[in-house]
Amino acid sequence: MKFKLNMGAGVFTGLLVILAIGAMGNDDFKLEIPKGLKKLKIPRDNRLTLEKIQLGKQLYFDKRLSKDQTISCASCHDPNKGWSNGETFATGIDGQKGGRNSPTIINSGYQVFQFWDGRALHLEGQALGPIQNPIEMGLSLDELEKRLNGIEGYVLQFKNVFGNKPNSGDVAKAIAAFERTVLSGNSPYDQYKDGDTKALSEAAERGRRVFFNKAQCSACHAGSNFTDGAFHNIGIGFDGSSPDLGRFVETQVEGDKGSFKTPTLREIARSGPYMHDGSFKTLEAIVDYYNKGGNANPQLDEEIFELNLTDQQKKDLIVFLKEGLSSANYPTVDPPALPK
Amino acid sequence: MQKLTCLFSLFTFMIVGSWVAANEVVSETVVSGLNNPCGVAIQPKTGHVFVANSGAGTICRIENGKAVPVITDFPIDVYGKGPKYNIGPLGLAFYGDGHLVVGGGGYKDGEELLRLYEVPAVGSSIKADAMVSSMKLAPTEEIKGEGNFYAVAVAGDSVFVSCNGDDTKGWVSKATIKDGKFSGYARNIATKEAVEVDAPVGLTIDPKNGHIVVGQMGEITVPGDGLLTFYSAGNGEMLANFETGLSDITSVAYDTKSYQMYALDFNWIDTKAGGLYHLTKATVDGEPGVECTKVMALDKATAMVIASDGHAYVTVIGTAEGDQLGGKLLKIKLPEIE
């Protein structure tokens, strides 16, 4: 009941905003980049405007984008769960489960390759995938367009933002625009790097040294978003009988067997369970896994080997991951009111 | 970025199309049947071309269209997880006329050697272990040992080496030569900390100002992430860094006469798209940048040196046909630049 009330109020303010913009034209939105992150490249054909971001946010939270109206993007990439969703394998429509863990979408605007296997490029190229995926949201693009064209609030907003009726291409653009605003930076690590030597606790600072040196983590979790954007086989699933071959399925290149995209480690304390198959529940277990040198297999990356970390080094490393990479400005977003 | 690069390469492709017609690129095969050649250098006074026939574990002098082994029996290792390449000696550079510096790739990281040889006289050969001097970069408690000394460049008594051991730092290391021997070898520039992208591979010295020029390969699984970076030879400070849109830069070299820069793109995930590029200054998105114009397609190009007469000597791994190994040394007449 409360939700409905909120929705009503939202449509009202939404309309006001639209009217105001109608007079002003949609200006470029000045995206604030948190400390420590790089400038974000915005595609020329999908400039950020406040109106587009708001529309994208509504679409992101709107369950009407799924066949039976039970699932939204936020069901699997939930702001309250590290923008992932706490399940080993996320649940789509009709209680169906896929074979991969939902990654966080925090800072996903920095990635060219999307999905664990990189099968989509850029956020625009990704967004329509889950909507059509029969085990996620299960709605064809025709049905999607029909549905949105039947919702007056959306028709008005698409007209204002894109100058035309709701269509799937613009749905992808609006959602991508919203996702680009979901950023995490300005963590204790970023403040430390910026010169505030007190920003990391002593244990976290020791862990930082381990991360960037002896433990070799930054060989792959590199740069300001703690990912090299590349694909590596770190052996996950190779202790079982039929491991997911990951990137190989896309490229057919032998060396890509069992390779997955290096995920960001920002806000990692919130986004478990971890890895493409959700097989790790804790960071402690992950550090033990790396420390023993992963699961041997022919394509195991050279950077995965026995680390010989001491118990103290393992503890410190975990403190760094948990404290150092969690931001006080975690990107919290409340579900917006949805148009009718 | 991906899109930009695509557009960009389409654009450069169109330019090359018309440009090549007017200014044809002439290339000839000097030697074929090489085994993963990965280094090439020209002896200053004689003009003799030397090739690191890496997969065969030899250094060869090119004599009358033949690759004659002059330093033999280098250790060999395997690079890659499929495709896999046998590699032995990698980077080559002359120190004066009588000494050759060889970067190794056949030992394990930490045991790998940078070696200095007296150049064997024509008609004679020596074993790899008959160097006059060698150095390694062993691991420390915190830092991984170094290996795969891919490119070497000599500047006075200093030798700069691109290394591929510690992927958290991406070292360019520096050796010094004194009295015909190495007097030191140390990690010098942490390129990955400077540019946040992996793998310094191509390396040369700017002939005008002595800056170190690095072609940062980036990730082999990521297209278009290659960088061109300039560092001060004195203090290792980064002076400039440019996105190139190239995928896997293996070599950068200057045509010293025209002061033009060229680069090789191996392009690991799409080797058919690899080749030789001419790099020029450009304005990209309103900022100083680099434009890469394809001069010619090459099949897995690995190393390049440009002779004083404006010919580029390029090694390619190529594609094996039957029993015939695909490796070649090519001689490419670079187009005239006004």
Side-chain angles (χ1 to χ4, degrees), chain A residues 121 132 141 193 196 229 257 333:
Chain A
L121 298 184
Q132 300 169 85
L141 296 185
K193 220 182 155 201
D196 178 0
K257 276 191 178 158
V333 169

Side-chain angles (χ1 to χ4, degrees), chain B residues 260-276:
Chain B
Q260 297 294 314
M261 187 191 281
Y262 294 84
L264 298 177
D265 186 358
F266 188 97
N267 208 325
W268 187 269
I269 51 175
D270 185 11
T271 53
K272 286 195 174 62
L276 169 64

